[in-house]
Amino acid sequence: MMDTMPQGDTPINDIQVLLVEDDPTVRAGSAQALDLAGFLVHSYDSAEPVAKLLQPHCAAVLVSDVRLPGMSGLELLAAARAIDADLPVILVTGHGDIAMAVQAMHDGAYDFIEKPYSSEQLAEVVRRAADKRRLQLEVRTLRQRLAHSAGIDAYLLGNAPAMQALRQVILDVAGQPADVLIYGETGTGKELVARCLHQFSERGKHQYVPVNCGAIPETIFESELFGHEAGAFTGAAKRQIGKIEHASRGTLFLDEIESLPLAMQVKLLRVLQERCIQRLGSNTPVPLDVRVIAASKEDLKDYSDQGKFRPDLYYRLNLIVLHIPPLRERREDIPLLFEHFMQDAAARYKRACPVVPAAQMQQLMAQDWPGNVRELRNAADRFVLGLSARAEAAPPAPLADQVSAFERMLIEQALRAAGGSVAEACAALGLPKQTMYHKMQKYGLAAEDYR
């Protein structure tokens, strides 16, 4: 008999079965069937010991006969639900107890099995209950992680090595006075990175001024950025402080800088070199203490080679360069991000936060997400609103791609759990070293990235 319960921090892949059956023959046969199905089984001949051991969030499934000496299975169900209403409880009933079992389902039982039952039937019901429990604990772990996130971890979510490295670099360079260039595909979170650079520095006490270079008409661009004096042009009735001057002592974020007109690139270069501006209609330079963070979804070196971007401005910006990985290169972060976005959407729409079935989450993790984190957020919103039953923003990837993505994720998780030890990861996955190295090469994985 077990004298300790599997705790909430028990690895959630190791869901245990608590079997309560007073008939020694049935108890032995059921325990053997579950053991052969791959479960760790703890058997009891009465309900009282189990009731005393039950704890919230234990990694277990409870299987109990209804008719027991002393405390009945129905009483054990009530005790279990009082401690943890989500614990799956499977009741075993005799002939003629069906009505009672149906009532038990209404009272919160996960399922019931009627005697006599086959080993296969028992194993299948327990397997489904274990999958449900595993999912519950995974969601709870994700929500706890989100609730206890602090500092930069609360802003830039993700446990992928690339995101951990990015957060560390941001903290390392946030306090530096040098300008920063951020590269990332559409929807990867370039402005979020810029805000972190601003917030986790002394400049966080002052203005953060975002400018989308592709959204301002070229005819008013200079006035928007540099400001103007009264009478500088028709309609300029009073002095206006430009975006750059407004960001003094703080941070100026220039998004989509690849869209900046060439004529404005010359003026921006002068600002970066001299740290002062002149408003339109004025000959008086205004000194600035401003940090410039630029972001682009295009390779500015290629743009420079094609004559679309000034080389001198490119080299001026190309000092501290941050690269944000696309979502398809950090698929293991999708469950955490999706859960975060669902919680946010549930709060905004005043709805309950749903639970995503494991199979559905695997579909989400297998998609390519060309719109990256922004697209994933939209999918989470739709899922919370019930507008998309599959919670997918695009058609699912081909099966081969889904399998490859899932395989890569499993290898990454094993390497991370093993601290970069290929030998330990091989043992965990049951792979020969030669096969492991071949797959690591196929997916571009390096053991040192996980140490």
Side-chain angles (χ1 to χ4, degrees):
M1 180 179 294
M2 178 180 62
D3 56 8
T4 59
M5 279 290 296
Q7 301 297 308
D9 56 358
T10 299
I12 53 180
N13 287 330
D14 300 330
I15 303 295
Q16 303 180 30
V17 180
L18 309 179
L19 175 65
V20 186
E21 171 60 64
D22 62 325
D23 186 319
T25 303
V26 176
R27 184 170 66 249
S30 299
Q32 183 180 35
L34 291 170
D35 181 64
L36 291 174
F39 290 101
L40 177 60
V41 185
H42 300 276
S43 300
Y44 302 84
D45 58 7
S46 62
E48 285 80 0
V50 179
K52 292 178 182 178
L53 292 173
L54 288 175
Q55 295 181 17
H57 315 302
C58 59
V61 169
L62 176 57
V63 180
S64 175
D65 195 359
V66 170
R67 299 186 182 278
L68 295 167
M71 187 180 197
S72 72
L74 294 177
E75 291 171 325
L76 180 58
L77 168 65
R81 286 187 55 77
I83 295 170
D84 184 343
D86 293 326
L87 178 68
V89 179
I90 300 167
L91 295 177
V92 179
T93 66
H95 181 68
D97 291 337
I98 299 301
M100 179 178 60
V102 171
Q103 182 59 47
M105 296 280 288
H106 286 295
D107 292 340
Y110 172 77
D111 205 343
F112 69 90
I113 308 175
E114 185 180 8
K115 292 180 179 178
Y117 50 81
S118 67
S119 298
E120 293 78 11
Q121 182 185 6
L122 174 65
E124 177 58 28
V125 174
V126 171
R127 185 174 292 108
R128 284 191 280 105
D131 288 342
K132 178 181 180 180
R133 186 58 168 175
R134 188 176 297 111
L135 179 60
Q136 290 171 351
L137 297 179
E138 286 174 348
V139 170
R140 176 176 176 268
T141 299
L142 288 175
R143 292 181 179 175
Q144 281 185 327
R145 188 181 303 165
L146 290 169
H148 293 91
S149 293
I152 194 171
D153 291 344
Y155 291 86
L156 284 176
L157 298 175
N159 298 313
M163 291 304 295
Q164 293 180 19
L166 178 62
R167 286 195 295 265
Q168 187 58 55
V169 172
I170 289 172
L171 294 177
D172 290 342
V173 306
Q176 302 300 320
D179 300 325
V180 178
L181 177 59
I182 302 172
Y183 282 117
E185 295 179 7
T186 298
T188 49
K190 296 184 287 294
E191 181 165 2
L192 184 58
V193 170
R195 286 187 179 275
C196 286
L197 285 166
H198 171 75
Q199 182 164 337
F200 293 97
S201 72
E202 284 298 312
R203 296 183 181 274
K205 303 172 185 176
H206 304 287
Q207 291 289 340
Y208 169 85
V209 182
V211 177
N212 188 317
C213 298
I216 302 176
E218 189 170 350
T219 53
I220 64 171
F221 208 110
E222 187 169 4
S223 174
E224 285 289 312
L225 254 64
F226 293 90
H228 59 258
E229 297 288 349
F233 52 84
T234 302
K238 61 180 181 178
R239 171 188 289 179
Q240 175 177 304
I241 301 299
K243 300 287 189 183
I244 300 176
E245 188 176 351
H246 185 53
S248 189
R249 300 178 67 193
T251 301
L252 176 70
F253 175 55
L254 299 175
D255 198 8
E256 296 188 22
I257 197 171
E258 70 274 13
S259 304
L260 192 66
L262 286 171
M264 292 303 302
Q265 292 180 24
V266 177
K267 297 179 183 294
L268 176 61
L269 177 62
R270 186 175 299 121
V271 171
L272 296 179
Q273 291 173 336
E274 300 175 6
R275 298 292 160 170
C276 69
I277 62 161
Q278 287 183 349
R279 303 187 195 106
L280 287 175
S282 172
N283 294 320
T284 305
V286 178
L288 297 172
D289 172 18
V290 64
R291 184 189 209 178
V292 177
I293 300 175
S296 175
K297 61 180 179 295
E298 306 291 347
D299 188 326
L300 295 186
K301 180 62 169 64
D302 288 347
Y303 264 45
S304 173
D305 293 342
Q306 297 170 29
K308 299 179 181 178
F309 201 85
R310 289 186 62 91
D312 45 6
L313 179 56
Y314 164 70
Y315 286 113
R316 185 77 189 185
L317 291 171
N318 195 50
L319 178 59
I320 297 177
V321 181
L322 303 181
H323 293 269
I324 307 178
L327 193 56
R328 63 182 175 276
E329 292 181 7
R330 55 183 189 111
R331 297 177 189 272
E332 64 267 43
D333 288 340
I334 288 176
L336 180 67
L337 289 168
F338 200 75
E339 177 65 31
H340 170 70
F341 294 147
M342 283 199 304
Q343 288 190 28
D344 180 64
R348 279 187 284 114
Y349 300 127
K350 294 181 172 55
R351 294 191 172 214
C353 188
V355 173
V356 184
Q360 200 163 355
M361 183 58 72
Q362 290 177 7
Q363 291 178 358
L364 295 175
M365 294 176 71
Q367 291 179 211
D368 281 342
W369 300 105
N372 291 291
V373 177
R374 183 182 298 136
E375 185 182 6
L376 186 69
R377 178 192 288 274
N378 292 340
D381 273 33
R382 289 197 302 275
F383 190 60
V384 169
L385 290 171
L387 299 179
S388 173
R390 297 175 58 122
E392 293 178 358
L399 178 61
D401 292 348
Q402 294 187 43
V403 172
S404 294
F406 192 63
E407 183 178 58
R408 173 184 174 138
M409 181 196 68
L410 291 176
I411 293 173
E412 287 182 328
Q413 288 178 343
L415 286 169
R416 187 174 299 110
S421 169
V422 176
E424 290 184 24
C426 286
L429 294 173
L431 284 177
K433 274 191 178 181
Q434 184 176 359
T435 303
M436 183 69 160
Y437 279 116
H438 172 74
K439 291 184 180 296
M440 289 173 63
Q441 182 179 16
K442 173 184 176 182
Y443 298 122
L445 303 176
E448 54 267 21
D449 292 339
Y450 300 88
R451 291 174 182 153

